[in-house]
């Protein structure tokens, strides 16, 4: 009896799987910014080794050690990978997810089977392990066993093996030489005969009474004619490895008090993966190899295998994929560039550089005590900064904000929600500022070292501005090596968050709305005289008319656009302060909501969405991230929608957006609750002059099907493209400093092979440039 109806989708991976090398991303394409150190599974595919993280799969070619990654961008249907396994006979990789989704990879094609995911099943649907019997993949699930026919690409059977057909969390499966199938579960070991025609009947399964029937067994494997299983430790005992041989169970005395993470075997070797070391055994159960250290680095392995040549491949929680060469006795770290984790609380970009703060605070503005880390991406490689690489980072936690010096991209600052400000240079923390060596002030608690930075940013002159929460001396400026502090009594010791400094020199500071504070934004100006507090002015903004008229109470995002307008995101959508210059002159400054046409109705822009992030691109378009609706891109005035990305219609990892940033090339980085991805948008910042104008790609080869970008243009340039005879082929206007062309003429036909001339100028004609594009069709 099959409880899941057959359903699948197939995706041909085009233009192919992605080599792990940095390349310029074409317009309209995506790139993953995922960690590749958090490996949880490894499997042998003969000439390749596949490994997985919760976010992606990658494989290593054994011949040259080149690496290729497979992600949601290149066709995976989901994230949250729990286990992978490769069937060599049918040349199929099975990818299982924690939400019970399944992908198969055959012949460079990804086939999605979502039956279990879509089926309303009470309880745990996680797929814990994958075991093959011929063409069938037996999936150990949180409720029982599912049989997947990988040849027909369909679910064949479902087994509920508990008492009276009740669900049982099955961790792993194996079979012995007598055609018995063993199911290691959290409630003992269940057995059945593999050739029983009625395995869907719970009565065909019985609990093995020859071993502890109340224990939990997390991994099981057959090796050298014996069945090996691990009994998880109880409150006062250690893990115990057991062997089933000649019809009886016995303890395999390994003199180890460590937890066993996984067992894996082939016809030559048995691998036992412990929580901090790995052991390899031959068929006579002699210990062949033990890995205690990675030289450098301590093991935290999750899985391991030995290939037919005896080389070991280890998946590790912190070190990614490790290879041990049996001939040379050398350990090799398979280095795949990426951030340490998928966490992103805030991010910022300057030029080609992106910084991610993976820390955070709770909803009540309390610390979480996450280890201080910063992830730096230079648009080619990742550099991860932590206490391991930079000792001073070890003195801080909860990095919630980062800022890059606009005049030196090697120089940056990070705000800790509890340990002040860290100054960094060349990806190393060089100094920490707190109450003793700056004007930063501590939380109102008695601990004077508890300096909670809510946000920090640079102004256009390169001065650093820092906000500290829960005290009235809440604003500090660092100019060179000199600190200046500002006391703002109306802050009322509230919790304060992110800060932006607009072109008027106003400091807009996010406030936590609540019973003790009925306000959402604090605006402060020193009127250009930071050393003279007598002319300082400040104002609290809330939902009241005349005090901001903010829709809702909770402000989660703020951004200044290219016209000097302040866009804010709240739990009731978007609003705009069109006249921030009126903030302190007695005139009306209240924000306004944007009306948009929806069919026959008019409504406020995103009024039913909680807006969590806003980024302004080079064409003054607004990229808006939401808490549950994914990402939107709107026209300059917000009335026209250009894009709407969700986890369903794009490679976006989740519809919950935490933070966003954009670099000079138009890459928009989306920090979600499940990791970071980026999208190459069509708009880049433009200037008053044409600078280093070039086209990409160039030459344009016959297999290219994306957009050709003309970069480095004066803002909003007029662009005309002609052939060498002067015939106009295409015309457009740059979005910011970049124009795009799909390589087709006005009739929609691909341009013929040849050289094409690009003429670009500003509206007055004072800034002109000509460049060339070679097309090969």
């Amino acid at each position: 009896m099959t409880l899941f109806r057959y359903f699948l989708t197939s995706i041909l991976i085009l233009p192919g799987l992605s080599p792990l090398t940095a390349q310029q991303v074409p317009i309209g394409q995506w790139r993953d910014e995922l960690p590749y150190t958090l490996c949880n599974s490894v499997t042998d595919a003969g000439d390749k080794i596949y490994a997985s993280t919760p976010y992606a799969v990658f494989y290593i070619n054994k011949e040259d050690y080149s690496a290729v990654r497979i992600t949601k961008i290149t066709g995976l249907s989901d994230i949250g990978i729990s286990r992978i396994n490769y069937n060599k006979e049918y040349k199929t990789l099975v990818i299982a997810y924690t939400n019970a989704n399944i992908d198969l990879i055959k012949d460079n094609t990804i086939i999605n089977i979502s039956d279990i995911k879509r089926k309303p099943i009470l309880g745990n649907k996680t797929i814990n392990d994958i075991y093959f019997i011929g063409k069938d993949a037996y999936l150990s699930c949180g409720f029982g066993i599912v049989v997947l026919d990988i040849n027909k690409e369909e679910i064949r059977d479902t087994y509920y093996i508990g008492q009276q057909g009740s669900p049982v969390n099955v961790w792993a499966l194996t079979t012995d030489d007598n055609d018995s199938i063993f199911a290691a579960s959290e409630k003992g070991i269940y057995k059945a005969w593999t050739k029983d025609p009625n395995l869907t009947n719970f009565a065909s399964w019985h609990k093995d009474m020859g071993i502890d029937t109340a224990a939990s067994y997390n991994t099981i494997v057959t090796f050298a004619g014996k069945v090996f299983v691990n009994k998880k430790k109880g409150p006062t005992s250690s893990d115990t490895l057991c062997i089933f041989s000649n019809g009886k169970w016995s303890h395999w005395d390994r003199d180890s008090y460590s937890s066993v993470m996984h067992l894996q075997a082939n016809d030559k070797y048995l691998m036992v993966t412990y929580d901090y070391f790995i052991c390899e055994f031959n068929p006579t159960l002699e210990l062949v190899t033990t890995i205690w250290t990675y030289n450098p680095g301590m093991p935290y392995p999750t899985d391991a295998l030995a290939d037919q040549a005896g080389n070991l491949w280890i998946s590790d929680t912190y070190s990614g994929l490790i290879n041990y060469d049996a001939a040379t006795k050398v350990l090799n770290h398979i280095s795949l560039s990426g951030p340490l984790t998928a966490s992103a609380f805030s991010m910022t970009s300057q030029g080609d550089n992106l910084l991610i703060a993976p820390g955070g605070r709770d909803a009540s503005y309390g610390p979480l005590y996450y280890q201080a880390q910063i992830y730096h991406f230079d648009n080619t490689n990742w550099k991860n900064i932590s206490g391991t690489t930079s000792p001073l980072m070890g003195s801080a936690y909860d990095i919630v904000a980062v800022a890059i010096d606009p005049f030196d991209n090697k120089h940056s600052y990070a705000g800790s929600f509890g340990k002040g400000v860290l100054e960094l240079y060349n990806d190393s923390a060089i100094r920490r500022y707190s109450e003793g060596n700056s004007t930063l002030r501590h939380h109102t608690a008695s601990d004077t070292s508890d300096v909670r930075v809510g946000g920090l940013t640079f102004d256009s002159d390169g001065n650093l501005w820092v906000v500290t929460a829960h005290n009235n001396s809440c604003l500090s400026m660092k100019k060179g090596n000199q600190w200046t502090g500002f006391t703002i009594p109306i802050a009322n010791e509230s919790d304060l968050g992110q800060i932006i400094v607009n072109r008027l020199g106003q400091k807009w500071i996010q406030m936590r709305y609540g019973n003790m504070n009925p306000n959402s934004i604090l605006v402060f100006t020193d009127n250009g005289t930071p050393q003279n507090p007598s002319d300082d002015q400040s104002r609290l903004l809330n939902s009241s008319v005349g005090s901001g008229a903010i829709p809702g109470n909770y402000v989660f995002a703020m951004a200044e656009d290219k016209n000097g307008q302040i866009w804010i995101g709240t739990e009731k959508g978007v609003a705009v302060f069109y006249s921030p210059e009126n903030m302190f002159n007695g005139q009306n400054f209240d924000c306004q909501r944007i009306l948009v046409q929806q069919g026959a109705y008019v409504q406020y822009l995103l009024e039913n969405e909680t807006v969590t992030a806003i980024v302004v691109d080079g064409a003054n378009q607004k990229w808006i991230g939401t808490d549950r609706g994914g990402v939107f891109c709107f026209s300059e005035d917000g009335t026209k929608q250009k894009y709407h990305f969700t986890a369903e219609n794009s490679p976006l990892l989740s519809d919950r957006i935490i933070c966003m940033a954009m670099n000079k090339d138009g890459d928009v980085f989306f920090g979600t609750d499940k990791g970071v991805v980026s999208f190459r948008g069509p708009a880049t910042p433009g200037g008053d002059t044409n600078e280093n104008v070039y086209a990409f790609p160039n030459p344009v080869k016959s297999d290219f099907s994306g957009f050709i970008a003309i970069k480095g243009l004066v803002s909003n340039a007029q662009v005309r493209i002609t052939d060498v005879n002067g015939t106009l082929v295409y015309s457009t206007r740059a979005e910011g400093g970049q124009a795009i062309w799909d390589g087709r003429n006005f009739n929609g036909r691909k341009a013929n092979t040849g050289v094409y001339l690009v003429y670009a100028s500003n509206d007055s004609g004072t800034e002109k440039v000509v460049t060339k594009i070679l097309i090969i069709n």
Side-chain angles (χ1 to χ4, degrees):
M1 179 175 62
T2 301
L3 297 185
F4 303 107
R5 282 185 291 178
Y6 166 68
F7 176 81
L8 63 85
T9 57
S10 300
I11 299 175
L12 181 63
I13 307 172
L14 294 172
L17 300 175
S18 316
L20 283 164
T21 56
Q23 298 178 358
Q24 190 164 180
V25 180
I27 302 295
Q29 298 299 308
W30 295 75
R31 178 176 60 192
D32 79 86
E33 320 293 354
L34 296 171
Y36 285 90
T37 54
L38 309 175
C39 285
N40 58 11
S41 186
V42 61
T43 186
D44 188 359
D47 59 344
K48 302 184 183 93
I49 293 291
Y50 283 94
S52 66
T53 74
Y55 315 99
V57 172
F58 62 94
Y59 65 78
I60 305 299
N61 287 298
K62 291 182 181 179
E63 184 177 352
D64 59 5
Y65 278 67
S66 61
V68 172
R69 60 186 172 188
I70 313 169
T71 69
K72 195 178 179 190
I73 293 170
T74 53
L76 291 186
S77 64
D78 220 324
I79 60 171
I81 297 168
S82 57
R83 182 67 61 182
I84 61 173
N85 203 1
Y86 187 80
N87 188 305
K88 293 181 180 178
E89 181 182 357
Y90 289 88
K91 298 179 180 179
T92 301
L93 180 72
V94 180
I95 304 170
Y97 298 87
T98 54
N99 64 1
N101 207 356
I102 303 166
D103 282 336
L104 307 179
I105 300 184
K106 298 180 177 182
D107 299 324
N108 211 34
T109 300
I110 297 177
I111 303 118
N112 176 234
I113 303 174
S114 61
D115 302 52
I116 315 174
K117 176 185 175 181
R118 294 181 296 107
K119 185 72 176 180
I121 297 173
L122 294 177
N124 179 13
K125 295 202 296 183
T126 298
I127 301 175
N128 299 311
D129 209 357
I130 304 164
Y131 180 73
F132 295 116
I133 302 177
K135 63 182 176 59
D136 292 326
Y138 283 69
L139 310 177
S140 302
C141 301
F143 58 87
I145 301 166
V146 173
V147 184
L148 167 66
D149 186 324
I150 61 175
N151 189 38
K152 294 183 179 179
E153 299 161 5
E154 64 182 11
I155 300 295
R156 183 168 64 79
D157 278 313
T158 303
Y159 306 150
Y160 287 91
I161 65 175
Q163 188 175 9
Q164 301 301 312
S166 60
V168 172
N169 187 8
V170 178
W171 286 104
L173 296 163
T174 194
T175 55
D176 67 5
D177 295 338
N178 297 317
D179 294 322
S180 293
I181 185 169
F182 296 74
S185 82
E186 65 178 13
K187 296 181 179 179
I189 295 177
Y190 288 82
K191 292 177 65 176
W193 185 46
T194 59
K195 297 181 180 180
D196 189 325
N198 199 22
L199 287 176
T200 54
N201 185 348
F202 67 87
S204 298
W205 296 82
H206 65 275
K207 189 173 286 191
D208 193 327
M209 307 303 293
I211 196 169
D212 189 344
T213 59
S216 177
Y217 300 87
N218 69 318
T219 181
I220 192 168
V221 72
T222 300
F223 177 65
K226 302 177 179 65
V227 175
F228 295 77
V229 70
N230 182 61
K231 175 184 173 182
K232 291 301 293 179
K233 63 183 178 182
T236 59
S237 61
S238 301
D239 280 14
T240 303
L241 283 167
C242 302
I243 300 176
F244 183 77
S245 180
N246 297 321
K248 293 182 179 180
W249 286 101
S250 62
H251 287 181
W252 184 20
D253 188 5
R254 289 281 307 126
D255 294 327
S256 173
Y257 296 93
S258 298
S259 297
V260 175
M261 308 300 291
H262 201 245
L263 299 172
Q264 193 168 164
N266 56 23
D267 59 339
K268 292 183 178 180
Y269 303 103
L270 168 68
M271 298 298 300
V272 182
T273 302
Y274 293 91
D275 53 358
Y276 66 93
F277 64 100
I278 306 100
C279 291
E280 176 191 23
F281 298 90
N282 65 19
T284 61
L285 300 187
E286 294 175 314
L287 181 61
V288 178
T289 307
T290 303
I291 305 295
W292 294 101
T293 178
Y294 293 149
N295 292 320
M298 290 297 298
Y300 294 92
T302 55
D303 195 8
L305 65 85
D307 62 22
Q308 291 297 311
N311 301 314
L312 308 188
W313 300 86
I314 304 163
S315 67
D316 191 277
T317 302
Y318 301 110
S319 298
L321 184 62
I322 302 291
N323 166 245
Y324 174 75
D325 190 301
T328 63
K329 312 296 183 186
V330 172
L331 281 158
N332 303 300
H333 291 250
I334 309 298
S335 180
L336 283 71
S337 183
L340 279 177
T341 73
S343 299
F345 183 79
S346 69
M347 58 175 65
T348 190
S349 183
Q350 179 73 34
D352 279 332
N353 294 278
L354 173 79
L355 291 183
I356 295 178
R361 55 178 179 253
D362 64 24
S364 299
Y365 275 55
L368 298 173
Y369 302 104
Y370 287 158
Q371 176 189 2
Q373 296 178 349
I374 300 168
Y375 310 145
H376 175 202
F377 183 52
D378 63 7
N379 226 27
T380 300
N381 294 303
W382 286 90
K383 179 67 178 293
N384 297 301
I385 312 163
S386 65
T388 302
T389 61
S390 181
L392 194 57
M393 293 286 289
S395 65
Y397 52 79
D398 291 341
I399 302 299
V400 297
V402 280
I404 302 172
D405 189 332
F407 298 111
D408 184 356
N409 58 27
K410 295 180 180 179
H411 187 213
S412 60
Y413 290 86
S416 162
F417 201 69
K419 290 298 179 182
V421 171
L422 288 164
E423 182 177 6
L424 299 97
Y425 197 79
N426 273 341
D427 295 326
S428 181
I430 59 174
R431 199 170 289 108
R432 185 166 69 88
Y433 297 99
S434 193
E435 190 156 304
N437 60 353
S438 71
T439 56
L440 303 175
R441 292 296 173 256
H442 71 280
H443 182 271
T444 50
S446 59
D447 183 3
T448 58
S449 68
D450 187 10
V451 177
R452 301 186 179 185
V453 175
L456 48 76
T457 192
F458 282 94
D459 63 24
S460 59
D461 294 323
N463 302 314
L464 178 72
W465 292 85
V466 184
V467 173
T468 50
H470 222 280
N471 65 81
N472 289 343
S473 298
C474 57
L475 186 62
S476 295
M477 180 190 77
K478 183 177 182 289
K479 182 176 184 177
N481 293 319
Q482 181 67 41
W483 285 87
T484 301
F486 301 86
T487 299
I488 309 176
I490 64 171
N492 197 29
E493 298 183 349
S494 298
D495 285 320
L496 305 177
Q498 63 172 292
I499 177 176
I500 63 171
V501 181
N502 68 1
R503 64 189 62 187
L504 301 174
Q506 298 169 347
K507 289 75 188 174
W508 291 62
I509 302 169
Q510 174 194 22
M511 307 186 79
R512 180 169 76 97
Y513 175 87
N515 293 333
M516 303 298 293
N517 174 47
N519 302 293
S520 305
I521 297 175
L522 168 63
V523 184
F524 171 83
T525 180
D526 57 34
N527 279 304
T529 59
Q531 303 303 325
N532 178 16
S534 64
D535 61 352
D536 293 355
Q537 293 176 280
S538 54
R539 184 181 291 277
L540 297 171
L541 306 183
N542 52 46
S543 60
S544 300
V545 173
S547 294
I550 293 172
N553 297 310
Y554 300 92
V555 171
F556 300 104
M558 302 182 295
E560 182 185 26
D561 76 2
K562 295 187 177 303
N563 297 321
Q565 300 165 357
I566 305 296
W567 289 60
I568 64 169
T570 77
E571 82 276 19
K572 292 187 177 180
V574 174
V576 185
F577 287 90
Y578 290 103
S579 304
E581 66 274 9
N582 292 340
M583 188 61 58
F584 300 107
N585 65 12
Q587 299 183 51
N588 178 43
F589 60 82
D590 280 354
C591 68
Q592 298 179 42
R593 303 174 80 176
I594 299 169
L595 289 170
V596 292
Q597 189 81 27
Q598 293 287 339
Y601 301 95
V602 175
Q603 66 182 46
Y604 291 121
L605 181 65
L606 300 179
E607 64 177 333
N608 296 317
E609 299 285 355
T610 295
V611 172
T612 56
I614 302 174
V615 168
V616 179
D617 69 17
N620 208 24
Q621 299 173 133
K622 312 306 186 294
W623 291 81
I624 297 175
T626 68
D627 183 60
R628 60 180 180 175
V631 174
F632 298 82
C633 178
F634 292 101
S635 60
E636 180 175 1
D637 61 3
T639 61
K640 296 179 181 178
Q641 180 179 304
K642 187 170 184 178
Y643 300 111
H644 180 202
F645 296 136
T646 68
E648 289 296 320
N649 69 14
S650 75
L652 194 66
L653 301 177
S654 167
D655 289 337
R656 187 183 180 204
I657 308 301
I658 307 297
C659 53
M660 297 193 312
M662 175 175 284
N663 68 13
K664 73 176 183 64
D665 291 325
D667 292 315
V668 194
F669 296 86
F670 307 115
T672 78
D673 61 334
K674 296 181 179 178
V676 180
V677 291
S678 64
F679 172 80
R680 174 61 63 89
T684 64
D688 297 328
T689 60
N690 297 302
E691 293 186 6
N692 301 318
V693 175
Y694 70 95
F696 170 80
N698 197 9
V700 182
K701 298 182 180 179
S702 58
D703 59 350
F704 181 76
S705 60
F707 288 99
I708 305 161
I710 300 99
K711 305 170 67 69
L713 300 174
V714 63
S715 288
N716 303 319
Q718 297 182 40
V719 177
R720 295 182 303 116
I721 301 174
T722 73
D723 61 22
V724 291
N725 296 318
T727 302
L728 183 65
V729 175
Y730 186 74
S731 65
T732 187
R733 186 174 284 274
E735 296 189 38
Q738 179 172 270
I740 60 173
W741 177 37
D742 62 1
R744 297 177 182 273
N745 60 25
F746 288 116
N747 295 322
R749 296 177 180 175
K750 273 192 170 185
N752 295 326
T753 295
V755 174
Y756 291 82
L757 305 178
V758 180
Y759 298 89
S761 71
N762 58 5
D763 289 340
S764 65
T766 57
E767 270 293 320
K768 299 178 182 179
V769 70
V770 180
T771 190
K772 297 178 181 180
I773 301 173
L774 172 60
I775 291 183
I776 305 171
N777 278 329

